[in-house]
Amino acid sequence: MGPVDLKKIISVVGARPNFMKVAPIHDVFRKHNDIIHHMICHTGQHYDDQMSKVFFEDLELPQPDFYLGVGSASHAVQTSSIMIEFEKVIIQQKPDLVIVVGDVNSTIACTLTAQKLGVKTCHVEAGLRSFDRSMPEEINRILTDSIADLLFVTEKSGLNNLQNEGVKSERVHFVGNVMIDSLNKYLMKCYASQIHSRLKISKKDYVLVTLHRPSNVDDKDQAIKLINLLNKVSEHKKIVFPIHPRTKKNWTEFKIIGLLSGNVIITEPIGYIDFIALLRDTALVLTDSGGIQEESTFLGIQCITLRNSTERPVTVDIGTNHLLGNDLHKAALKAQEILNGNIKNGSIPELWDGKAADRIVKIIINYLR
Ligand code: UD1
């Protein structure tokens, strides 16, 4: 037998929603460690233990091979710092491929860096479009997809969007959703979570809330409207509100956190297993997150999305997501309706079957041959 041609691959993680997307890909690569050396680079975009370390533990991810430690900053400073640091890693390691996931600043920064050094890249969760260019994530998605070599798509809308943008079909692969791979794998573990007793709440008798989009939490007037909505919903059910660092920082500065009613339980950000346990047993989730729209559709949990657009339309078309935009009066009425039992039955989108990472790795191995 000739010498084995070991291919080097670096996957990039930076922010909280990246960890559960890379974990299943890493798992599958481990089975192919005779031909693939898979490494993880953490840019340090998120650095608090509750935004990062706890996810490595919960998702059984190894310590990252490279930690860039860029931290928080303006978009330009954060993106460019990641590029400067990631360039050093690429020059030193000369990988055969870089994998990026999602739509955060780390995603575009590392794609651009690798491409400029002639390193092939692939984008997991490609093709999603909100068609709202005021979202930083939309800019990151469009730019990443336009330069990455391989595009892995989670839902059919992504195929249409890429086709409409003139992307050649050879670059595009419909593989399903790696985040659902993680959810599938860890769902059983959630039964051991103590989070409900810790928060003194009963299953199905609370509403889960997450809010962190700049459009919702960076503006004081909008924040106060959201607080009024939460207070209204909390007249009927307790609310559990794990508060994102961005939201906490802004709402503390605005001095408005105290306006939340006593029926709103505010917690620190919550780790992966405990969060899934909360999501699986909530009566309803109110959110502006992207990933939670997908996780709630998979779990059959009613979700009210407090945004004007979604880049994940399948969750509205066939899932349990209700896109209610900025009409918070309408959102309050919808929440009431749902809590009264008037729910939308959903189904699980195609290929959200826990095997997306297997498909991705198979395509990558063929591609690198
Ligand atoms: C980022 C992503 C967003 C994703 C979100 C998930 C971009 C453009 N945005 O937004 O798409 O949905 O992560 O959480 O990449 N902070 C901490 N500790 C941390 C991280 C952040 O205190 O570990 C605080 C800092 O004050 C920081 C602020 O949160 O300035 C915002 O963090 P940043 O990474 O800029 O963006 P996110 O709002 O988290």
Side-chain angles (χ1 to χ4, degrees):
M1 232 170 43
V4 181
D5 184 15
L6 199 63
K7 300 287 186 192
K8 260 191 196 180
I9 299 180
I10 299 179
S11 286
V12 175
V13 292
R16 182 170 63 178
N18 296 156
F19 306 126
M20 59 293 265
K21 295 172 191 168
V22 165
I25 297 174
H26 179 72
D27 252 4
V28 181
F29 273 135
R30 276 210 313 231
K31 297 183 201 144
H32 296 280
N33 61 7
D34 53 333
I35 51 170
I36 302 282
H37 180 198
H38 183 240
M39 292 175 279
I40 295 175
C41 177
H42 188 334
T43 65
Q45 179 174 346
H46 285 172
Y47 44 88
D48 284 353
D49 284 357
Q50 280 303 105
M51 297 295 283
S52 174
K53 184 164 169 256
V54 61
F55 287 83
F56 274 75
E57 291 163 5
D58 281 359
L59 295 158
E60 301 166 279
L61 274 163
Q63 286 298 309
D65 299 271
F66 313 99
Y67 186 75
L68 308 183
V70 298
S72 302
S74 70
H75 283 280
V77 171
Q78 186 176 63
T79 308
S80 56
S81 311
I82 297 169
M83 291 184 69
I84 291 168
E85 294 307 315
F86 192 56
E87 186 174 60
K88 297 175 193 162
V89 173
I90 300 265
I91 289 171
Q92 185 205 49
Q93 293 294 323
K94 301 187 179 56
D96 296 285
L97 184 77
V98 166
I99 300 177
V100 297
V101 299
D103 53 18
V104 301
N105 285 344
S106 301
T107 311
I108 177 58
C110 293
T111 311
L112 189 49
T113 307
Q115 284 291 338
K116 291 257 177 124
L117 290 170
V119 174
K120 300 278 184 215
T121 55
C122 66
H123 182 207
V124 175
E125 203 183 271
L128 297 181
R129 297 290 181 268
S130 66
F131 302 101
D132 174 1
R133 290 200 181 194
S134 70
M135 287 178 78
E137 295 83 4
E138 182 74 353
I139 308 296
N140 293 342
R141 289 188 279 260
I142 294 169
L143 294 179
T144 302
D145 287 343
S146 72
I147 56 174
D149 297 281
L150 288 179
L151 302 176
F152 293 117
V153 175
T154 53
E155 63 167 81
K156 288 263 172 75
S157 73
L159 294 176
N160 297 336
N161 295 334
L162 293 171
Q163 195 181 27
N164 291 340
E165 289 171 21
V167 176
K168 287 221 167 69
S169 62
E170 305 90 88
R171 285 170 62 208
V172 181
H173 302 268
F174 178 41
V175 292
N177 193 327
V178 281
M179 202 178 60
I180 301 301
D181 291 8
S182 280
L183 188 48
N184 223 9
K185 177 171 172 191
Y186 289 102
L187 204 48
M188 291 310 285
K189 267 206 171 172
C190 297
Y191 287 95
S193 164
Q194 298 298 311
I195 190 74
H196 294 92
S197 57
R198 240 175 43 225
L199 297 177
K200 301 189 177 63
I201 48 171
S202 309
K203 293 181 179 175
K204 298 292 172 197
D205 201 25
Y206 60 92
V207 173
L208 182 61
V209 173
T210 81
L211 293 167
H212 75 282
R213 290 280 154 213
S215 60
N216 270 333
V217 306
D218 290 7
D219 176 77
K220 188 174 174 185
D221 291 341
Q222 175 67 6
I224 289 174
K225 284 185 197 153
L226 283 163
I227 287 174
N228 289 336
L229 167 68
L230 301 193
N231 287 347
K232 203 166 261 166
V233 175
S234 78
E235 288 167 12
H236 310 284
K237 282 239 186 289
K238 267 192 186 162
I239 286 185
V240 177
F241 184 20
I243 195 161
H244 187 282
R246 171 189 283 275
T247 312
K248 188 177 176 186
K249 180 169 157 260
N250 288 334
W251 292 16
T252 305
E253 267 170 35
F254 300 153
K255 298 193 173 61
I256 55 174
I257 292 194
L259 299 178
L260 282 163
S261 94
N263 229 10
V264 179
I265 306 167
I266 299 177
T267 76
E268 291 297 300
I270 286 180
Y272 184 71
I273 301 286
D274 285 340
F275 188 81
I276 296 300
L278 281 176
L279 184 60
R280 196 199 53 202
D281 283 314
T282 189
L284 163 69
V285 61
L286 298 181
T287 191
D288 58 10
S289 148
I292 293 169
Q293 297 174 50
E294 296 181 337
E295 289 166 330
S296 55
T297 273
F298 183 78
L299 294 169
I301 293 295
Q302 301 296 303
C303 174
I304 292 181
T305 297
L306 298 168
R307 285 172 44 189
N308 289 322
S309 60
T310 179
E311 59 289 333
R312 293 156 159 93
V314 77
T315 60
V316 177
D317 295 343
I318 72 161
T320 47
N321 191 12
H322 309 255
L323 185 66
L324 286 189
N326 263 336
D327 188 340
L328 300 183
H329 176 67
K330 222 162 114 190
L333 290 175
K334 179 53 85 177
Q336 184 57 50
E337 236 180 71
I338 290 171
L339 294 176
N340 286 337
N342 190 358
I343 62 167
K344 172 182 178 188
N345 288 316
S347 54
I348 295 178
E350 197 180 339
L351 297 187
W352 290 18
D353 58 0
K355 299 190 177 99
D358 287 313
R359 294 184 197 101
I360 288 173
V361 167
K362 202 167 157 200
I363 294 165
I364 287 177
I365 289 176
N366 272 330
Y367 180 75
L368 292 178
R369 264 203 182 113

